[in-house]
Amino acid sequence: MKKVLVTGGLGFIGSHTVVELQNEGFEVYIIDNLSNSKIEVLDKITSITGVKPSFFNIDLRDKAAVKDFFANNKVDGTIHFAAYKAVGESVQIPLEYYENNIGSLVYILQEMKANNLNNFIFSSSCTVYGQADELPITENAPVKPAESPYGNTKQIGEEIIKDATKISELKAIALRYFNPIGSHESAKIGELPIGVPQNLIPYVVQTAAGLRDELSVFGSDYNTPDGTAVRDYIHVVDIAKAHIVALKRLIEDNNKSQFEVFNLGTGQGNSVLEVIKSFEKVTGKKVNFKLVARREGDVTAAYADTNYANNELGWKTELSLDEALLSAWKWQETL
Ligand SMILES: NC(=O)c1ccc[n+]([C@@H]2O[C@H](COP(=O)([O-])OP(=O)(O)OC[C@H]3O[C@@H](n4cnc5c(N)ncnc54)[C@H](O)[C@@H]3O)[C@@H](O)[C@H]2O)c1
């Protein structure tokens, strides 16, 4: 049985990935410090898969603890989700973001090197492309200056990993997520709301649930068919499955170079108004919204060119926007 470390494995994307890894027969070790997740998620994962993953309550900024973990656990691969992820907050407390997102990454890579562990998957983001000059966005699109310290941690993170592959046997894949949404079909795990949602879907769902009065749609004068911003919303379970494919690629030595990058998106762009309409259709719930001015830092449109990931990884999305929206609503109903 192959052993995998999943950092941030009790978080939104991490927990869904742990479920898929266990379904595929991997033995999973989770490291999470519960800074943005709850310990109950461990039982939820266990009830979905019938298997309890090994859990380590370690803060990855604790170099000695990271050293100790890797010295005692010879994992076949590491999937690194753990990070702070709130764009707005990262502007307020940038140093904490650099310490957590960069410091932890460096410690993990150092200890993997020290223990000759070579397979590494990194959570990156489509924000590295900024407003891309061409749509859909391929992996060859240039990386644009980051709009926030959070976005910068993803760009710097990729650079650090790339440099590490040059001086060791490390093999790494950075997966650039577009907009992960939705929940597991069991509605036992999902995205935990933190404060006022910055992302569209949690805000839509909370407005429909009556927790928020009204959704503000930022910008209705974009150069898009209905004037609202366009994004590529991808079901979190499809994202999770891509991690298993990427991990197997490294374990089986099928990678083409020591550092590879793949987009994880559906290839389909949807406007904010289209998402609201779809949500109302699949749930039968009304979403109060108003059109307001653009929000600083938002790009007009971003959606993935999926050809490279589809052909090279042999992975493609299976779940629709409607399915993702319905699952997000079912999760909200359990909260
Ligand atoms: N959700 C998105 O829209 C999105 C988009 C692009 C990229 N990403 C990236 O994907 C990854 C996972 O995102 P998510 O949405 O699941 O976030 P999340 O906050 O739900 O999960 C992150 C987990 O990491 C843990 N963690 C944070 N710092 C830690 C530390 N120092 N030590 C141990 N555990 C720590 C948290 O407790 C949490 O459980 C992150 O790296 C994020 O930046 C997310």
Side-chain angles (χ1 to χ4, degrees):
M1 212 187 225
K2 297 283 183 200
K3 297 182 174 121
V4 190
L5 166 64
V6 181
T7 75
L10 296 186
F12 173 42
I13 307 172
S15 59
H16 288 83
T17 303
V18 170
V19 166
E20 298 305 323
L21 283 165
Q22 293 192 323
N23 286 343
E24 287 281 318
F26 285 91
E27 184 178 344
V28 178
Y29 296 67
I30 294 174
I31 289 183
D32 203 302
N33 68 350
L34 305 174
S35 58
N36 196 35
S37 52
K38 295 198 169 135
I39 190 64
E40 292 84 68
V41 176
L42 196 59
D43 291 335
K44 299 289 173 58
I45 292 171
T46 311
S47 88
I48 294 170
T49 63
V51 183
K52 189 165 190 165
S54 303
F55 174 64
F56 299 80
N57 187 341
I58 290 174
D59 188 326
L60 292 159
R61 289 166 294 191
D62 180 345
K63 189 176 165 69
V66 174
K67 192 181 179 72
D68 191 53
F69 174 86
F70 280 106
N72 290 304
N73 297 285
K74 298 287 168 237
V75 290
D76 297 286
T78 299
I79 306 181
H80 181 44
F81 291 106
Y84 289 154
K85 65 164 182 177
V87 175
E89 185 185 61
S90 79
V91 178
Q92 308 302 321
I93 50 167
L95 301 182
E96 281 82 348
Y97 270 68
Y98 287 115
E99 180 188 34
N100 199 31
N101 296 8
I102 302 298
S104 301
L105 171 66
V106 171
Y107 294 161
I108 291 169
L109 293 176
Q110 283 176 328
E111 296 314 317
M112 285 182 65
K113 181 167 181 290
N115 291 282
N116 295 315
L117 304 174
N118 294 325
N119 301 319
F120 187 75
I121 311 282
F122 179 63
S123 297
S124 191
S125 165
C126 71
T127 56
V128 301
Y129 299 120
Q131 179 57 70
D133 303 322
E134 282 175 38
L135 293 168
I137 304 172
T138 72
E139 288 80 353
N140 294 324
V143 169
K144 297 271 176 75
E147 295 270 356
S148 69
Y150 165 75
N152 212 16
T153 66
K154 294 298 170 191
Q155 299 192 3
I156 297 169
E158 286 194 11
E159 292 298 325
I160 289 171
I161 298 163
K162 203 191 297 174
D163 287 343
T165 61
K166 291 178 189 159
I167 48 92
S168 67
E169 302 291 306
L170 181 73
K171 296 179 291 174
I173 294 179
L175 297 173
R176 292 176 176 164
Y177 314 154
F178 279 66
N179 297 71
I181 61 166
S183 302
H184 190 262
E185 58 180 4
S186 65
K188 289 181 176 170
I189 52 175
E191 186 170 15
L192 275 188
I194 12 166
V196 180
Q198 304 291 311
N199 295 338
L200 178 63
I201 308 306
Y203 214 109
V204 165
V205 164
Q206 291 189 12
T207 307
L211 300 172
R212 313 240 163 236
D213 291 339
E214 200 170 43
L215 164 75
S216 294
V217 175
F218 297 111
S220 52
D221 59 348
Y222 284 111
N223 185 18
T224 59
D226 64 22
T228 62
V230 166
R231 297 287 182 273
D232 185 336
Y233 297 96
I234 173 170
H235 200 300
V236 65
V237 172
D238 279 326
I239 293 250
K241 288 181 176 171
H243 288 74
I244 286 92
V245 176
L247 182 67
K248 285 184 178 167
R249 179 180 176 88
L250 296 182
I251 291 175
E252 291 162 12
D253 268 328
N254 289 329
N255 53 310
K256 294 245 164 87
S257 62
Q258 271 179 267
F259 178 71
E260 296 183 303
V261 170
F262 294 97
N263 285 341
L264 296 187
T266 65
Q268 186 189 320
N270 286 102
S271 74
V272 177
L273 293 183
E274 282 173 340
V275 169
I276 294 172
K277 261 189 230 141
S278 298
F279 180 86
E280 291 184 332
K281 182 189 72 190
V282 297
T283 63
K285 292 277 160 189
K286 181 98 192 71
V287 180
N288 295 326
F289 70 90
K290 62 174 176 205
L291 303 174
V292 301
R294 294 182 185 194
R295 185 172 63 171
E296 211 186 311
D298 281 346
V299 300
T300 302
Y303 50 94
D305 185 317
T306 62
N307 281 308
Y308 188 58
N310 293 166
N311 299 331
E312 193 56 41
L313 283 182
W315 161 90
K316 64 178 171 49
T317 54
E318 293 166 356
L319 298 163
S320 66
L321 177 65
D322 283 358
E323 286 168 303
L325 293 172
L326 188 57
S327 69
W329 175 245
K330 287 191 172 154
W331 164 247
Q332 173 63 43
E333 286 186 307
T334 70
L335 294 177

